[in-house]
Amino acid sequence: MKLSKEAERLLQKCMQQNRTSDKDRKEVEELIEMMPQDRVLLYKNVISNPIGDLPRYSIHIRIQHLLTFSTFLLLAFTGLPVHFSDAFWAEPFNSMLGGIEVTRTIHRTLAAVMIFTMIYHIATLAAGTIIQLARGRFDIGRTVIPMYKDLQDMKEDVMYFAGTKKQRPEMDKFMYKQKIHYFAAAFGNSVMVLSGSAFLFPDIWASILPSGWAYYFQDIMRLAHPHEALLALVVIAFWHWYNVHLAPGRFPMQWTYLTGKITREHQIEEHFLEYLRNLVEQPAERAYLRTLLQKYDLRGQEQAQEGAAATAPADGP
């Protein structure tokens, strides 16, 4: 395989950061030379454990994800009946929980858990970044920070699905869709916390805002809070869950959020740059890949396919 200039730079940087020995460096370079140029041929021949093969998320990120999605769903199921308390479906729900005041108490308790999770997440990101910087191993490409490359990847991915490109772009640990998901969730949570605080602490907001603004601010927040919740439910149900769990190749569920591991096939297909890092950092993965390439001779298969395509007769009379 002939790497792109970007992939080559990333590989050299990763080996430098990990202080890769000359022996391991040579092994990685030999493996890349043995790999077929067509990554589709590669990821369709690897063996993947549905539970996951390669590391992706730390235990902290998994705990935060579990807290976030569980509190989000419970907040929606307790908050909407409070807002639409006069609706025919809301009254029996509130009664089942012990009355609307009990539902409000549960909702506010869950909101406190969600805010704690947000603080926990920010602290994890900050601490992780500081540790990586101190070790000289920080790589902005492994973060969710939007980059110009994400726009290029989006364009090339659209071209791939439109049939004008043979392969998907070489994407990093977090692809453009995942970054959109992340910042959409961050924005939504921020709106919910801001608007919810306006209901709990109206006097504090009235003292902070300029004279006469508090009334309009409360009206805007009362509109924003339930409608942002409904929007988030729709996005989660029809966009996030489909892309992460229900899409072909992921159905019925992707286990990454529980195990912290991603399947080998998925990483090579959508996160090839991260797979190159794993070849540097995971000796076991190098051993597996060498066995696979020697067993199936994927470079030979690729050359045979190209030869057959070149000698095939043209369509038509």
Side-chain angles (χ1 to χ4, degrees):
M1 173 183 283
K2 181 175 176 58
L3 295 178
S4 66
K5 291 181 179 179
E6 182 169 12
E8 184 63 38
R9 284 196 299 270
L10 178 145
L11 186 66
Q12 295 303 322
K13 179 179 179 181
C14 185
M15 289 194 287
Q16 181 181 5
Q17 289 177 333
N18 285 274
R19 298 178 176 85
T20 306
S21 67
D22 292 340
K23 178 183 176 182
D24 289 342
R25 180 185 291 267
K26 183 179 179 181
E27 183 182 8
V28 171
E29 291 172 349
E30 286 178 353
L31 284 172
I32 292 171
E33 180 64 28
M34 295 168 64
M35 291 163 64
Q37 197 67 35
D38 185 357
R39 296 197 310 276
V40 177
L41 191 62
L42 179 61
Y43 71 72
K44 284 190 174 181
N45 280 279
V46 298
I47 297 175
S48 293
N49 182 347
I51 304 300
D53 303 291
L54 300 166
R56 182 163 176 82
Y57 296 135
S58 70
I59 184 64
H60 295 289
I61 297 299
R62 282 176 274 161
I63 292 172
Q64 291 156 23
H65 181 270
L66 286 168
L67 288 173
T68 298
F69 90 76
S70 58
T71 53
F72 165 74
L73 291 176
L74 292 171
L75 280 165
F77 293 145
T78 54
L80 292 174
V82 170
H83 182 77
F84 300 102
S85 57
D86 295 333
F88 73 92
W89 55 268
E91 291 182 7
F93 185 89
N94 288 323
S95 298
M96 180 181 68
L97 293 179
I100 192 170
E101 290 303 322
V102 176
T103 308
R104 283 198 181 102
T105 301
I106 295 172
H107 186 74
R108 291 168 181 173
T109 303
L110 291 167
V113 176
M114 188 181 77
I115 293 171
F116 163 77
T117 305
M118 294 170 66
I119 296 171
Y120 177 20
H121 180 63
I122 293 170
T124 300
L125 294 182
T129 301
I130 291 171
I131 291 171
Q132 293 300 318
L133 285 169
R135 294 175 177 175
R137 297 183 60 180
F138 177 76
D139 187 346
I140 194 170
R142 293 183 109 162
T143 70
V144 294
I145 297 173
M147 310 285 287
Y148 176 69
K149 183 181 183 303
D150 296 315
L151 294 176
Q152 295 175 312
D153 290 344
M154 184 185 298
K155 175 186 173 183
E156 291 182 18
D157 218 21
V158 170
M159 293 171 66
Y160 168 78
F161 286 111
T164 58
K165 284 185 70 71
K166 292 184 178 180
Q167 295 193 76
R168 301 189 71 177
E170 297 175 340
M171 293 180 279
D172 219 313
K173 182 173 182 177
F174 298 104
M175 63 182 294
Y176 64 91
K177 283 194 295 185
Q178 292 162 336
K179 293 183 180 183
I180 293 172
H181 289 194
Y182 179 85
F183 284 101
F187 174 79
N189 283 0
S190 300
V191 170
M192 298 305 287
V193 170
L194 176 65
S195 55
S197 70
F199 308 152
L200 286 175
F201 310 109
D203 294 340
I204 294 177
W205 279 107
S207 65
I208 294 173
L209 295 170
S211 178
W213 284 34
Y215 175 81
Y216 299 105
F217 177 74
Q218 288 290 335
D219 273 357
I220 293 171
M221 294 299 101
R222 290 188 184 280
L223 283 171
H225 201 74
H227 289 90
E228 174 60 32
L230 287 171
L231 175 62
L233 275 175
V234 170
V235 169
I236 291 294
F238 294 101
W239 183 24
H240 183 73
W241 281 348
Y242 173 79
N243 279 284
V244 175
H245 298 298
L246 305 180
R250 314 283 181 262
F251 183 85
M253 183 178 75
Q254 186 177 176
W255 289 83
T256 309
Y257 78 103
L258 291 175
T259 64
K261 294 182 178 181
I262 187 172
T263 65
R264 186 177 285 112
E265 177 186 356
H266 185 182
Q267 188 171 79
I268 295 173
E269 179 188 6
E270 291 192 348
H271 310 282
F272 183 69
L273 297 181
E274 180 69 2
Y275 185 71
L276 292 178
R277 293 193 186 94
N278 273 313
L279 287 180
V280 174
E281 299 171 356
Q282 306 288 330
E285 184 60 22
R286 294 201 298 270
Y288 168 81
L289 184 60
R290 179 177 291 276
T291 301
L292 174 82
L293 294 172
Q294 290 174 342
K295 180 179 180 180
Y296 292 107
D297 186 21
L298 299 182
R299 282 288 295 272
Q301 291 185 37
E302 183 180 47
Q303 291 167 2
Q305 290 177 2
E306 292 174 352
T311 58
D315 294 337

